[in-house]
Amino acid sequence: MNEYLSSKLEFSVDLASNKDAKDVLGLLSMWRSERTALAKYRWLYKRNPDGPAVVWVAKDRTGRVVGCTARFPRLMQIGSGTTLCAGFGGDTFVHPKYRRRGIAGMLHTRSLEDLEKVGMDFVYDLGAVKHNYMALLRAGCREVGQLSTFILPLGSPAIFGRALHGASLPSWLLNPLGSFGKKAIRWLPTRSCALELGATMLRPS
């Protein structure tokens, strides 16, 4: 029996219910701070202007939530006025103890199967990391373009100032390179785990 079939017998994937919210938030808090995860959950998951997030969870035989993925609704106008509901993919996470068992692929596959059921016309993703990118391809998505992205790093005054709850420090102490340092790091190309894949848009084949 191959790994994927074994995982399908050992784990199940379904749309999350209200009672799964605490477990989903727990998974998000494993790769973000608890405070940041809660703020994001309240804002993007519950108060998204285009509708609340649609979440799928993977559970083991005991009912423990071991993974999740989400699609965030985005209303898009296509052509001369047709409005479609797109699902922006994000927050696919599997508990470290349960990784490399095909669970991410199961989550993506089920989310694509449920598109019509949840009222979405298509899904897309930008900047999927390498392992998640491969799971999306196996689930039936395809790459439709490349997008190069650039970042503007936060200056040290902003970083330290926030850490010190708004306390200000001399700018020369926080940025000894002065204006030269700011110019040198102003625009840095992103080099994410996606490597040459860059930011990738995906949709069902």
Side-chain angles (χ1 to χ4, degrees):
M1 182 179 296
N2 64 40
E3 183 179 3
Y4 178 72
L5 291 177
S6 177
S7 294
K8 291 189 70 174
L9 294 176
E10 190 175 355
F11 303 98
S12 62
V13 175
D14 208 341
L15 284 164
S17 64
N18 290 333
K19 67 180 182 180
D20 297 318
K22 184 177 180 180
D23 293 317
V24 170
L25 188 56
L27 288 175
L28 296 179
S29 298
M30 294 185 71
W31 59 285
R32 296 176 179 269
S33 70
E34 186 173 344
R35 180 179 178 183
T36 301
L38 180 59
K40 180 180 181 180
Y41 187 82
R42 288 173 173 170
W43 168 64
L44 189 57
Y45 281 70
K46 295 298 184 182
R47 300 174 185 170
N48 177 12
D50 288 337
V54 182
V55 182
W56 289 262
V57 291
K59 298 181 179 180
D60 65 12
R61 292 178 179 176
T62 69
R64 178 185 182 185
V65 174
V66 300
C68 64
T69 193
R71 299 292 179 266
F72 306 103
R74 295 285 189 276
L75 296 180
M76 296 188 176
Q77 184 171 318
I78 309 298
S80 59
T82 300
T83 300
L84 299 178
C85 180
F88 178 65
D91 290 355
T92 301
F93 186 84
V94 176
H95 190 289
K97 182 180 177 181
Y98 297 89
R99 290 177 181 170
R100 303 190 67 83
R101 302 191 192 184
I103 295 175
M106 292 173 62
L107 286 162
H108 290 312
T109 298
R110 181 60 188 269
S111 71
L112 293 177
E113 293 173 348
D114 286 345
L115 279 186
E116 185 175 354
K117 179 179 179 179
V118 301
M120 292 181 178
D121 297 293
F122 67 97
V123 297
Y124 69 101
D125 201 345
L126 298 172
V129 295
K130 187 177 181 180
H131 62 275
N132 199 34
Y133 173 84
M134 298 308 299
L136 284 162
L137 291 182
R138 287 192 292 268
C141 293
R142 65 187 179 93
E143 181 179 327
V144 297
Q146 295 282 326
L147 176 65
S148 297
T149 57
F150 293 84
I151 59 173
L152 177 61
L154 281 175
S156 49
I159 296 173
F160 285 101
R162 185 168 183 174
L164 296 173
H165 302 287
S168 60
L169 294 175
S171 59
W172 61 265
L173 177 62
L174 294 175
N175 188 12
L177 295 178
S179 60
F180 173 77
K182 293 180 180 179
K183 293 178 180 178
I185 65 171
R186 180 168 177 78
W187 294 108
L188 299 178
T190 57
R191 296 299 294 250
S192 68
C193 296
L195 302 177
E196 289 79 12
L197 298 176
T200 309
M201 297 184 66
L202 299 158
R203 66 184 181 191
S205 299

